[in-house]
Amino acid sequence: MEWKWEFSRTARRVKSSAIRDLLKLTQQPDIISFAGGLPAPELFPVEEIGEAGDYVLKHEGQYALQYSTTEGYRLLRRFLAKRMTQKGMAVDEDEILITGGSQQGLDLLGRLFLEEGDWIVSAQPTYVGAIQAFSAYGVNFHTVPLDKDGIKVELIEEAVKEKKPKFIYVIPTFQNPGGVTLSLERRRNLVEIARRRQVPIVEDDPYSELRYEGEDLPTLKALGGEVVILLGTFSKIVSPGLRLAWIAGPQEVIEKLIKLKQGADLHTNTFTQYILYQFLKGGGLDRHLKVLRQEYGQRRRVMLEALRENFPPKVKWTTPQGGLFLWVELPPGVDASALLPEVVKEKVAYVPGSAFYPNGGGENTLRLNFSNASPQLIREGMKRLAKVFSAKIP
Amino acid sequence: MEWKWEFSRTARRVKSSAIRDLLKLTQQPDIISFAGGLPAPELFPVEEIGEAGDYVLKHEGQYALQYSTTEGYRLLRRFLAKRMTQKGMAVDEDEILITGGSQQGLDLLGRLFLEEGDWIVSAQPTYVGAIQAFSAYGVNFHTVPLDKDGIKVELIEEAVKEKKPKFIYVIPTFQNPGGVTLSLERRRNLVEIARRRQVPIVEDDPYSELRYEGEDLPTLKALGGEVVILLGTFSKIVSPGLRLAWIAGPQEVIEKLIKLKQGADLHTNTFTQYILYQFLKGGGLDRHLKVLRQEYGQRRRVMLEALRENFPPKVKWTTPQGGLFLWVELPPGVDASALLPEVVKEKVAYVPGSAFYPNGGGENTLRLNFSNASPQLIREGMKRLAKVFSAKIP
C-alpha cells in the first residue's frame, strides 16, 4: 500500500528553488566560491574560543550543560544591552532575546506578526533568508528598489498607505545583497514614516561592525526607539557555528517572542552562550573585529581592483564601505543564472541576483562575496570570472 | 502617542499559563524541586565534553565554527542511523534530521502537518511541551486516558475514524508525565491502527535508554517502519545545554522538514554537533548511560520507598521502570495546584498534573521528578511533602 502524506499549507508552500539547485553546482571542493556569505574560517578565533570553553567547563559546567531560560543567558543579554547603549540605542537587558542565529529571529518575527495574505515592505533585492522565512507564512512582498543610498525611502509611505504592511524589513547598513548603505537623511525619513503610519521597522543589522571606510551612521533603532525591532548576530563577527544572535525590541514584543520561542525550541544553546559570554567578557570581540576589518577590507579592495581592471566596460558594481558583499549588474538581457554553469566550469561561483528578488526579476544581476576567499584566490577567481564575462558579454 | 502592536493569531493564542506562574514560585535556590525534568547536573560528563571540545577545536575548528548543512552533521547522523539500526529500526542517515532539541522537532512537525482547527490524538496526561508546540498551530486535542500499560490503544481507532487527526502523538516508554510504558501488545495494535487508518504516529522517545528494571521493548518505529516518525534526544542522556536531538522518519518527511527548518533557523549548532559526535565516537555515551542508570535507578528507589513509608494511604502513584518521572494521584476533590503554595512554604515543589491535560482536568494529580535531586535530598523533600499531604488529606 502506498502511503500518502498530507502536509500543511505551510509545508506545501516551501518548494525546492531553482537557485538552490544551481548553487549545488557550486559546492565543489576545488571551486573559488564568491557565492556563500561565509566568514573566513582561517580567521575564526579558535584559540580564544578554546580558552573560553575550558574556563566555562571548569567553573560553570553544571550550568553551561543544563537547561536554561528561554530569553537567554542574563550576562550575555546584559553585555549586549550595554554595548547597544554605547552605540546610542537605549536598550535594557529585558528588551533582548537571544536566538539561535538571526534566521530564527526572522522566523519568530514572522510568527509574531504575519498571517497568510498579509503584506510586508522590503527592498528589492533583499536577503534571501528573509524571503524564505517570511514566505513560509504566506505573505506578499511589496518591494522597493535600492540605489547607492539604500532603499528608496520616498517610495515607502505610499506603499504603506496602500498595502497596510505588518512591518518594513530593511538591512540599512552594507545591505545584503546590494552592499549599499542607507543615508542618514533616508534613515530619519524612514523612522518618521514608521511613526506616522504606525508600522514597525524590522532592522536587520548583521554587518554594521564590519566597516572598512567612512563614518558609522546611527542605526534605525538609535533613531526610532520603540518603533524599531533590531536583529543582531555574532555569525559574521565571531562564528556562525555557535548559532548566536539576538533580537532587541520593546518589552511587549520581547515578552511575546519569548513565549513563541519557548514553543519553538525551549531556549538557545546554553553551552555556546556561556562560551561566547566568556569570550566577550575578556575583550575578545574588539580584538577580533580589528583583525576582521583589516582582512576583509583588504579582500574588498582586491575584488574592486579586479573588477576595475579586468571586467568588460558594460558591467557595473556597487562599492560597499563594509560588510561581505558587492552587487554586480550585467548589461540588460544577459542572464546571470544562464551564465553560472559556464562560470562553474572555470571553477568559480556567484549567486545569481534573481535569488534576492521576492517577486521575480534581477536576471542580469549577481552577488559576489569577498570575505570567504583569500586575496590570492579572489584575484584568481575574478580573473576566471572576467574571462567568461568578456567572452559572453558583447 | 501610544503604540499599539498588532500580533498574529498565533501570537495571540500563546498566553501566559497559570501553571507557569505557579512554577515561578518553585524557582528558589533553597527549594528541593521535584518539579522540573532536569538531569542531575553533578553527573554531566564535563571532563569528557571538555576533551571532545579540545579535540574539535584543535583539529576541526574551521569546520566546527562555520555554517553547516540544515540536515545536520553527516557523521552524527550516521552514528544515529547505526545505533537505531542496532535497536531494530532500519533507518538510513538520510532519514535523520538533527534538531535544536526535541522541542524544535515537535514544532517542525506542527509546521509540517498542522492547520488551525485540525485534530491530533494524544494521551491525557501528556508532555506539556508538546501541548505548547502543537497548540501554537491552533489545533484540537482528542485525548485518550492512560493506565499502567500506557495509552488505552483500544480507544484510539474510534477517535481516528471520528476526528480524522493529522497524527497520533505518544510517548510509549516511561511516559512523561505518567511514568508508564506501553505494553508490547498495545504497541502492535497501535501500529496496526495507524496503518489501517493511514494516520502517522509521532513517537516521542527521550527516555528509553534510561531503563532501571525490566526488559527493553521494541519502539513503535521498530514495529511500524514508515508510519512512525521518531523523536530522539541527547538532552536526558548527555546534556540538554548542548541542544541536540533528532527526528527519524521517511525520506519524504525528512526532506520537507529540512526545508522548513532552513527557514526556521538555517541549521543546528555546528560546534556542539562536532563535540557531541567526538564524545559519541569515543564510546562516551554507553559509559555515561551506565552511570545514569545506576544513579537515577537509586533515586527512583528512594522516592518510591518514601512514598510507601510516609504518604497517606489514599494517595496512589505509578511505578516507572525507567525515565525521570512518576505520577501521583491524590484523592478526588484534593487540588494539587491549591496545595502547591503550602508545599513551597516547606521548600519543596512538584508540577500540578493539570499542566499535562490539554483539555483541562487532572486537578488531583501531580508529577514528581527523581533525576535532579540527590538521594538525600529526595528523602528530605519527600518527608516534607508527606507532612503537608498528611495534614491536608483526610
mmCIF file of all heavy atoms in Angstrom, chain B residues 259-276:
data_model
loop_
_atom_site.group_PDB
_atom_site.id
_atom_site.type_symbol
_atom_site.label_atom_id
_atom_site.label_comp_id
_atom_site.label_asym_id
_atom_site.label_seq_id
_atom_site.Cartn_x
_atom_site.Cartn_y
_atom_site.Cartn_z
ATOM 1 N N LYS B 259 13.521 21.589 4.632
ATOM 2 C CA LYS B 259 13.171 22.883 4.040
ATOM 3 C C LYS B 259 12.518 23.804 5.073
ATOM 4 O O LYS B 259 12.787 24.998 5.109
ATOM 5 C CB LYS B 259 12.253 22.682 2.835
ATOM 6 C CG LYS B 259 13.055 22.239 1.624
ATOM 7 C CD LYS B 259 12.185 21.851 0.448
ATOM 8 C CE LYS B 259 13.043 21.053 -0.532
ATOM 9 N NZ LYS B 259 12.234 20.118 -1.320
ATOM 10 N N LEU B 260 11.663 23.234 5.905
ATOM 11 C CA LEU B 260 11.018 24.049 6.938
ATOM 12 C C LEU B 260 12.049 24.539 7.956
ATOM 13 O O LEU B 260 12.018 25.681 8.392
ATOM 14 C CB LEU B 260 9.920 23.248 7.636
ATOM 15 C CG LEU B 260 8.698 22.932 6.767
ATOM 16 C CD1 LEU B 260 7.788 21.930 7.470
ATOM 17 C CD2 LEU B 260 7.916 24.200 6.430
ATOM 18 N N LYS B 261 12.976 23.660 8.313
ATOM 19 C CA LYS B 261 13.998 24.058 9.282
ATOM 20 C C LYS B 261 14.926 25.130 8.699
ATOM 21 O O LYS B 261 15.354 26.036 9.399
ATOM 22 C CB LYS B 261 14.812 22.845 9.750
ATOM 23 C CG LYS B 261 15.878 23.217 10.792
ATOM 24 C CD LYS B 261 16.551 22.012 11.401
ATOM 25 C CE LYS B 261 17.875 22.374 12.078
ATOM 26 N NZ LYS B 261 17.773 23.148 13.302
ATOM 27 N N GLN B 262 15.210 25.035 7.422
ATOM 28 C CA GLN B 262 16.083 26.036 6.805
ATOM 29 C C GLN B 262 15.502 27.446 6.984
ATOM 30 O O GLN B 262 16.216 28.374 7.330
ATOM 31 C CB GLN B 262 16.266 25.730 5.322
ATOM 32 C CG GLN B 262 17.282 26.648 4.672
ATOM 33 C CD GLN B 262 17.724 26.142 3.323
ATOM 34 O OE1 GLN B 262 16.911 25.835 2.463
ATOM 35 N NE2 GLN B 262 19.021 26.045 3.139
ATOM 36 N N GLY B 263 14.199 27.579 6.802
ATOM 37 C CA GLY B 263 13.556 28.871 7.033
ATOM 38 C C GLY B 263 13.489 29.239 8.508
ATOM 39 O O GLY B 263 13.446 30.409 8.861
ATOM 40 N N ALA B 264 13.487 28.214 9.374
ATOM 41 C CA ALA B 264 13.291 28.464 10.807
ATOM 42 C C ALA B 264 14.581 28.847 11.529
ATOM 43 O O ALA B 264 14.560 29.662 12.446
ATOM 44 C CB ALA B 264 12.662 27.247 11.478
ATOM 45 N N ASP B 265 15.719 28.233 11.171
ATOM 46 C CA ASP B 265 16.980 28.617 11.833
ATOM 47 C C ASP B 265 18.239 28.187 11.073
ATOM 48 O O ASP B 265 19.316 28.093 11.676
ATOM 49 C CB ASP B 265 17.018 28.101 13.279
ATOM 50 C CG ASP B 265 17.197 26.591 13.386
ATOM 51 O OD1 ASP B 265 17.131 25.906 12.354
ATOM 52 O OD2 ASP B 265 17.411 26.091 14.511
ATOM 53 N N LEU B 266 18.112 27.968 9.772
ATOM 54 C CA LEU B 266 19.219 27.562 8.898
ATOM 55 C C LEU B 266 19.775 26.189 9.226
ATOM 56 O O LEU B 266 19.742 25.292 8.399
ATOM 57 C CB LEU B 266 20.378 28.550 8.899
ATOM 58 C CG LEU B 266 20.243 29.802 8.038
ATOM 59 C CD1 LEU B 266 21.569 30.588 8.051
ATOM 60 C CD2 LEU B 266 19.831 29.509 6.603
ATOM 61 N N HIS B 267 20.290 26.023 10.450
ATOM 62 C CA HIS B 267 20.815 24.713 10.850
ATOM 63 C C HIS B 267 21.083 24.715 12.342
ATOM 64 O O HIS B 267 21.146 25.765 12.977
ATOM 65 C CB HIS B 267 22.088 24.360 10.073
ATOM 66 C CG HIS B 267 23.247 25.281 10.331
ATOM 67 N ND1 HIS B 267 24.071 25.138 11.418
ATOM 68 C CD2 HIS B 267 23.711 26.360 9.656
ATOM 69 C CE1 HIS B 267 25.012 26.085 11.380
ATOM 70 N NE2 HIS B 267 24.806 26.850 10.329
ATOM 71 N N THR B 268 21.281 23.502 12.878
ATOM 72 C CA THR B 268 21.573 23.333 14.304
ATOM 73 C C THR B 268 23.042 23.675 14.573
ATOM 74 O O THR B 268 23.888 23.583 13.680
ATOM 75 C CB THR B 268 21.233 21.880 14.710
ATOM 76 O OG1 THR B 268 19.842 21.666 14.455
ATOM 77 C CG2 THR B 268 21.500 21.620 16.183
ATOM 78 N N ASN B 269 23.292 24.078 15.809
ATOM 79 C CA ASN B 269 24.624 24.440 16.289
ATOM 80 C C ASN B 269 25.724 23.495 15.772
ATOM 81 O O ASN B 269 25.757 22.309 16.103
ATOM 82 C CB ASN B 269 24.590 24.391 17.819
ATOM 83 C CG ASN B 269 25.660 25.240 18.443
ATOM 84 O OD1 ASN B 269 26.842 24.963 18.274
ATOM 85 N ND2 ASN B 269 25.250 26.282 19.137
ATOM 86 N N THR B 270 26.638 24.029 14.970
ATOM 87 C CA THR B 270 27.705 23.200 14.414
ATOM 88 C C THR B 270 28.670 22.735 15.508
ATOM 89 O O THR B 270 29.055 21.562 15.563
ATOM 90 C CB THR B 270 28.530 23.984 13.374
ATOM 91 O OG1 THR B 270 27.678 24.856 12.632
ATOM 92 C CG2 THR B 270 29.243 23.053 12.421
ATOM 93 N N PHE B 271 29.061 23.675 16.359
ATOM 94 C CA PHE B 271 30.088 23.411 17.364
ATOM 95 C C PHE B 271 29.667 22.266 18.291
ATOM 96 O O PHE B 271 30.414 21.305 18.497
ATOM 97 C CB PHE B 271 30.339 24.689 18.167
ATOM 98 C CG PHE B 271 31.508 24.629 19.099
ATOM 99 C CD1 PHE B 271 32.726 24.093 18.701
ATOM 100 C CD2 PHE B 271 31.398 25.140 20.388
ATOM 101 C CE1 PHE B 271 33.815 24.064 19.567
ATOM 102 C CE2 PHE B 271 32.481 25.116 21.264
ATOM 103 C CZ PHE B 271 33.685 24.568 20.855
ATOM 104 N N THR B 272 28.438 22.332 18.825
ATOM 105 C CA THR B 272 28.039 21.261 19.751
ATOM 106 C C THR B 272 27.769 19.951 19.012
ATOM 107 O O THR B 272 27.943 18.880 19.596
ATOM 108 C CB THR B 272 26.863 21.680 20.669
ATOM 109 O OG1 THR B 272 25.716 22.016 19.899
ATOM 110 C CG2 THR B 272 27.253 22.855 21.548
ATOM 111 N N GLN B 273 27.396 20.011 17.738
ATOM 112 C CA GLN B 273 27.264 18.756 16.974
ATOM 113 C C GLN B 273 28.615 18.058 16.854
ATOM 114 O O GLN B 273 28.725 16.837 17.021
ATOM 115 C CB GLN B 273 26.727 19.022 15.566
ATOM 116 C CG GLN B 273 25.247 19.317 15.506
ATOM 117 C CD GLN B 273 24.763 19.366 14.067
ATOM 118 O OE1 GLN B 273 24.551 18.345 13.436
ATOM 119 N NE2 GLN B 273 24.576 20.561 13.539
ATOM 120 N N TYR B 274 29.664 18.834 16.541
ATOM 121 C CA TYR B 274 31.003 18.243 16.419
ATOM 122 C C TYR B 274 31.472 17.673 17.756
ATOM 123 O O TYR B 274 32.049 16.582 17.818
ATOM 124 C CB TYR B 274 32.005 19.289 15.908
ATOM 125 C CG TYR B 274 32.106 19.343 14.402
ATOM 126 C CD1 TYR B 274 31.081 19.861 13.622
ATOM 127 C CD2 TYR B 274 33.250 18.860 13.740
ATOM 128 C CE1 TYR B 274 31.171 19.913 12.240
ATOM 129 C CE2 TYR B 274 33.350 18.905 12.361
ATOM 130 C CZ TYR B 274 32.313 19.435 11.614
ATOM 131 O OH TYR B 274 32.411 19.480 10.248
ATOM 132 N N ILE B 275 31.239 18.430 18.829
ATOM 133 C CA ILE B 275 31.673 17.973 20.151
ATOM 134 C C ILE B 275 30.933 16.693 20.533
ATOM 135 O O ILE B 275 31.535 15.716 20.984
ATOM 136 C CB ILE B 275 31.438 19.077 21.207
ATOM 137 C CG1 ILE B 275 32.392 20.245 20.952
ATOM 138 C CG2 ILE B 275 31.624 18.527 22.620
ATOM 139 C CD1 ILE B 275 32.170 21.438 21.864
ATOM 140 N N LEU B 276 29.631 16.696 20.347
ATOM 141 C CA LEU B 276 28.854 15.502 20.702
ATOM 142 C C LEU B 276 29.332 14.300 19.898
ATOM 143 O O LEU B 276 29.514 13.204 20.449
ATOM 144 C CB LEU B 276 27.358 15.734 20.458
ATOM 145 C CG LEU B 276 26.505 14.509 20.751
ATOM 146 C CD1 LEU B 276 26.502 14.177 22.246
ATOM 147 C CD2 LEU B 276 25.077 14.689 20.263
#
